[in-house]
Amino acid sequence: MKTLTVALAGNPNSGKTTTFNNLTGTRQKVGNWPGVTVEKKLGRARHGDHDFTVVDLPGTYSLTAFSMEEIVARNFILNESPDLVVDIIDASNLERSLFLATQIIELDVPVLFVLNMMDVARTRGQSVDGEKLSELLGVPVVFTVGNKNEGTAALLSAMAEAAGGKCGCGGERRVRYTRDLEEAVAAVRESLALASGGVFPHPLRWTAGKLIENDAIVRRSVCEALGDGAAAVMEAVDERRARLSELYDDEPEIIMTEERYGFIAGVVREVLKSSTRKRVDVSRNIDLILTNRFLGFPIFIFFIWAMFQLTFTVGGYPQAWIGAGMDAIIHLARAVLPPGLATDLLTDGILAGVGSVIVFLPNILILFFAIALFEDTGYMARAAFLMDRVMHLLGLHGKSFIPLLMGFGCNVPAIMAARTLESERDRILTILINPLMSCSARLPVYVLIAGTFFPHRAGNVIFGVYLLGIVLAIMMGRLFSATILKGECAPFVMELPPYRMPMAKSLAIHMWDRAKMFLKKMGRVILIGSILIWFLSAFPRVHEPAAGQSQAETAAAQVSDSYLGRAGRAVSPFFAPLGLDWKAGVALITGFVAKEVVVSTLGVLHAAGDRGGLPEALKKSGMTPLSALSLMAFLLLYVPCLATVAAIRHETGSRKWTLFAVAYSTTLAWIVAFAIYQGGRLLGY
């Protein structure tokens, strides 16, 4: 069995992730690249006697070091020396995709081109001559339709052939520049070869070209590699750059980019054939409605509302089944096991705590199914486009809406994604308001509270909570941009990919990834938190069953006088104006570790004597619909979880901004919850 490393490269929206899923299925591992916060995906694929480790590189339009994604992709190809680079090319946007493809060829690595989305190209009346493209660039070409899983077998066979040494790397079929540019590259290459003795870690021609383009990272690496010999090389580079600037009256990097696009245009003329028949652009016609200046935003709001309705109504059925199963397990454990602390720990601590959270797994899966549906169809980009206009009107940076969108999933990677913003002011502003976007960890609490106190309007209530977070994020962003983070908001350019039919396999993989993350958290943070909370609520043992006192009354007295009860009474003055008792206050405090722990804390504190489940116990505790709204608002806005606070500290590099984020979010949460509860009371609710 031969084990080979394959790097998957390509433009955003080229179908790279779909191809990765087709090759690897569920055999994937997600993490971050060492030292950076760009997502890293690894997967396994097999074909015959070949075992492939597939590395999904970040989607980029080029390998010029302008963004972290481009640096990560380029460094992996250069430094890790994969056995093969598979470049996913959007056949319906051939000229744009070939810009990255030609840069990969110049790295002198084994390359395989995958012309994906041929169905989209055909609907536009286009056909691509794959054999001619292979001949012109010296690279084998495979055709696929990723969202229909067509061509995956042929791709695996081509990868196996490449592993057998049958794949070229472009050879001399690389971009040929004008005479002046070629002379400049040759001169710098010769200087590099002389200074390094012909031994250099990266291809000499590619390095020379990057020095001509004034690539700061390559210049720094050359200086480090050559030491004292770098001075002669840099002198040759500066001399050639000055001559080119004088000849063309422009920067050499711009000249080289234009030359590359000229080469690509010649290739496209040879291989792309367009039909004279008029084709209907379905995506453009749909966008006439979905991105309409009057209809687009209401439609977007409707889709979000429908998503939460679906999350609650459809998720309510499996949620009830899982809840009934957990109740049966708890009752069985109490009936079978002998009374004692160990049984109490198992039933009231572990099962009640973890079980109160795991029932919301179906809701989490449905939410992420809807988000994946938006992403895979191409609608998510339209949502960003629509919200960009709103954010610019309010003085926010439109580009920051992408990290904010990610915040609906998890605030940690969303905050990390703000690193792609060029301006430090925009990056800090985005990080500060990101936690106001309600992450999926808060959803179990919303479903519990809304389902308990607003059973017939739960979907609308949850939608309203999310909408409150969006509105407050916009308001706080406007306030910060006008006071502590003054500056001009930059324009926002975003590609709108064509609409596509989502793949069931891709949706399933996305849901499974979220399920794994949720279940892992169940087995670590929430389990440990439930045990700790039970311990604090069970000790010191100051109450034993007394004559005429029920078990529920004894347990309630025990919890009230426990360590947790004493701490709860200490913080109760802070939460009392919000209509929340000490148990809700303690649950919110433990939510600093992870928001799901709020539910498990309530489950542990209300487990004793509970015969109607946690919802019934909450009703008996004195919580009202008004205080329930106050609780959800406070949960939405107050200090984010520990992991998010750590991400803020890491990304801002400042303790000042971290403390400010914690302080302002908690203050805002208290003010809004106070206004809801006290305002509601004044209105007679």
Side-chain angles (χ1 to χ4, degrees):
M1 182 71 71
K2 298 179 181 177
T3 302
L4 300 159
T5 301
V6 176
L8 216 60
N11 293 169
N13 303 311
S14 64
K16 182 170 62 68
T17 299
T18 302
T19 302
F20 177 75
N21 291 336
N22 291 342
L23 289 172
T24 61
T26 58
R27 292 169 293 180
Q28 301 175 7
K29 185 169 61 175
V30 180
N32 285 331
W33 293 91
V36 298
T37 54
V38 178
E39 188 178 79
K40 175 182 183 180
K41 283 187 177 180
L42 297 176
R44 303 293 294 274
R46 289 183 180 177
H47 182 79
D49 62 345
H50 294 89
D51 187 4
F52 298 105
T53 298
V54 184
V55 182
D56 187 16
L57 299 178
T60 65
Y61 291 105
S62 75
L63 295 181
T64 304
F66 286 141
S67 70
M68 184 60 67
E69 287 81 2
E70 292 172 338
I71 295 171
V72 166
R74 191 174 80 179
N75 286 351
F76 183 84
I77 296 173
L78 281 172
N79 301 330
E80 302 300 325
S81 302
D83 298 290
L84 177 67
V85 177
V86 176
D87 183 25
I88 310 300
I89 294 175
D90 180 357
S92 63
N93 284 293
L94 192 60
E95 185 170 359
R96 183 192 64 193
S97 296
L98 285 177
F99 188 78
L100 173 65
T102 54
Q103 288 186 317
I104 294 175
I105 289 175
E106 290 179 331
L107 292 175
D108 289 342
V109 294
V111 183
L112 172 65
F113 284 171
V114 177
L115 286 175
N116 190 37
M117 298 196 290
M118 283 304 304
D119 56 335
V120 177
R122 284 191 291 267
T123 61
R124 296 179 179 177
Q126 299 174 344
S127 63
V128 181
D129 188 338
E131 292 185 5
K132 188 69 173 178
L133 180 63
S134 177
E135 177 187 343
L136 289 173
L137 295 179
V139 175
V141 174
V142 178
F143 290 93
T144 63
V145 180
N147 62 352
K148 298 179 182 177
N149 203 11
E150 296 177 4
T152 303
L155 173 56
L156 283 167
S157 297
M159 288 164 56
E161 289 182 9
K166 299 179 183 178
C167 174
C169 61
E172 294 301 317
R173 300 284 187 175
R174 57 174 66 92
V175 177
R176 311 304 298 180
Y177 301 111
T178 58
R179 186 184 66 180
D180 295 316
L181 275 172
E182 284 292 340
E183 287 179 356
V185 171
V188 174
R189 183 186 185 282
E190 183 178 347
S191 178
L192 268 171
L194 185 64
S196 63
V199 180
F200 197 75
H202 303 319
L204 290 176
R205 176 184 166 84
W206 176 83
T207 305
K210 284 298 169 186
L211 289 174
I212 293 293
E213 290 182 345
N214 202 30
D215 188 301
I217 294 178
V218 173
R219 284 182 70 101
R220 186 164 59 248
S221 66
V222 168
C223 291
E224 292 173 355
L226 299 182
D228 295 337
V233 175
M234 294 308 161
E235 184 178 344
V237 170
D238 294 339
E239 178 185 339
R240 290 293 174 169
R241 279 181 54 82
R243 180 182 297 181
L244 289 171
S245 297
E246 184 178 345
L247 284 173
Y248 291 92
D249 194 26
D250 212 338
E251 296 295 328
E253 48 267 38
I254 296 176
I255 301 167
M256 294 186 76
T257 298
E258 290 176 347
E259 291 287 336
R260 185 176 285 111
Y261 270 118
F263 174 83
I264 291 169
V267 172
V268 171
R269 279 196 300 270
E270 292 291 328
V271 303
L272 182 65
K273 306 299 179 185
S274 297
S275 170
T276 56
R277 283 189 300 165
K278 187 177 180 180
R279 297 284 179 166
V280 177
D281 192 333
V282 177
S283 292
R284 183 173 297 178
N285 288 342
I286 295 174
D287 278 339
L288 291 176
I289 299 173
L290 294 187
T291 61
N292 183 276
R293 60 182 301 183
F294 300 111
L295 299 177
F297 194 72
I299 292 174
F300 168 64
I301 296 296
F302 170 77
F303 282 156
I304 299 297
W305 171 83
M307 178 176 72
F308 291 117
Q309 287 289 344
L310 183 73
T311 298
F312 184 80
T313 54
V314 177
Y317 297 104
Q319 177 191 345
W321 302 333
I322 296 173
M326 289 302 305
D327 286 344
I329 292 173
I330 291 173
H331 292 150
L332 178 63
R334 285 174 177 165
V336 172
L337 297 175
L341 282 178
T343 300
D344 290 345
L345 171 61
L346 177 64
T347 58
D348 298 339
I350 297 173
L351 293 178
V354 174
S356 60
V357 179
I358 201 171
V359 296
F360 300 105
L361 177 60
N363 306 94
I364 297 288
L365 292 180
I366 292 172
L367 175 67
F368 278 96
F369 170 80
I371 292 175
L373 201 63
F374 288 157
E375 290 176 345
D376 289 0
T377 57
Y379 182 71
M380 192 66 84
R382 273 78 183 177
F385 171 76
L386 291 168
M387 288 301 297
D388 172 64
R389 289 184 292 181
V390 175
M391 296 178 75
H392 271 293
L393 288 173
L394 297 170
L396 291 176
H397 192 306
K399 194 174 181 180
S400 67
F401 188 70
I402 302 301
L404 295 182
L405 274 178
M406 295 175 64
F408 284 122
C410 179
N411 294 132
V412 175
I415 287 171
M416 291 176 173
R419 179 176 286 192
T420 60
L421 301 175
E422 294 84 0
S423 165
E424 182 181 2
R425 173 257 183 194
D426 297 330
R427 185 165 50 83
I428 292 176
L429 175 59
T430 303
I431 289 172
L432 289 178
I433 65 175
N434 201 293
L436 302 181
M437 311 303 288
S438 189
C439 67
S440 61
R442 298 176 173 100
L443 184 63
V445 190
Y446 299 154
V447 174
L448 169 66
I449 302 299
T452 300
F453 295 96
F454 310 97
H456 304 298
R457 301 188 302 276
N460 292 337
V461 171
I462 295 173
F463 170 71
V465 171
Y466 275 77
L467 192 60
L468 175 65
I470 295 172
V471 171
L472 288 173
I474 292 172
M475 292 175 61
M476 297 309 297
R478 178 60 176 167
L479 175 63
F480 293 155
S481 62
T483 53
I484 59 175
L485 290 168
K486 292 182 180 180
E488 293 293 326
C489 59
F492 176 45
V493 178
M494 182 178 187
E495 177 191 3
L496 296 182
Y499 290 100
R500 305 186 183 102
M501 186 64 67
M503 283 182 61
K505 182 179 181 181
S506 176
L507 296 174
I509 289 173
H510 190 93
M511 291 172 65
W512 173 239
D513 285 342
R514 299 307 308 181
K516 283 196 299 185
M517 291 177 62
F518 186 77
L519 293 174
K520 284 180 180 178
K521 189 179 283 188
M522 295 292 306
R524 293 181 300 197
V525 177
I526 296 173
L527 175 61
I528 295 171
S530 297
I531 293 173
L532 180 61
I533 292 162
W534 175 85
F535 178 85
L536 293 174
S537 66
F539 292 92
R541 307 295 288 181
V542 293
H543 288 274
E544 297 297 334
Q549 189 179 42
S550 68
Q551 182 181 356
E553 291 172 337
T554 303
Q558 169 60 44
V559 170
S560 179
D561 290 333
S562 65
Y563 295 124
L564 206 59
R566 296 170 187 176
R569 285 193 296 275
V571 299
S572 62
F574 179 82
F575 292 101
L578 314 182
L580 304 177
D581 63 7
W582 70 266
K583 291 183 180 180
V586 167
L588 288 169
I589 292 173
T590 59
F592 174 63
V593 178
K595 299 309 177 191
E596 299 96 335
V597 177
V598 172
V599 177
S600 61
T601 302
L602 292 173
V604 171
L605 294 178
H606 291 284
D610 178 14
R611 288 294 180 269
L614 183 53
E616 197 62 33
L618 289 174
K619 291 179 181 178
K620 293 177 181 178
S621 71
M623 185 177 290
T624 65
L626 191 58
S627 57
L629 286 175
S630 172
L631 172 62
M632 286 192 288
F634 191 89
L635 177 80
L636 165 73
L637 303 171
Y638 85 120
V639 57
C641 69
L642 182 62
T644 302
V645 172
I648 294 173
R649 175 69 176 86
H650 182 265
E651 293 303 311
T652 61
S654 167
R655 185 181 299 175
K656 177 190 71 174
W657 286 121
T658 306
L659 293 175
F660 176 76
V662 170
Y664 105 79
S665 59
T666 304
T667 303
L668 179 65
W670 196 92
I671 292 172
V672 172
F674 179 86
I676 289 173
Y677 182 70
Q678 299 297 342
R681 291 182 64 189
L682 288 175
L683 294 175
Y685 290 103

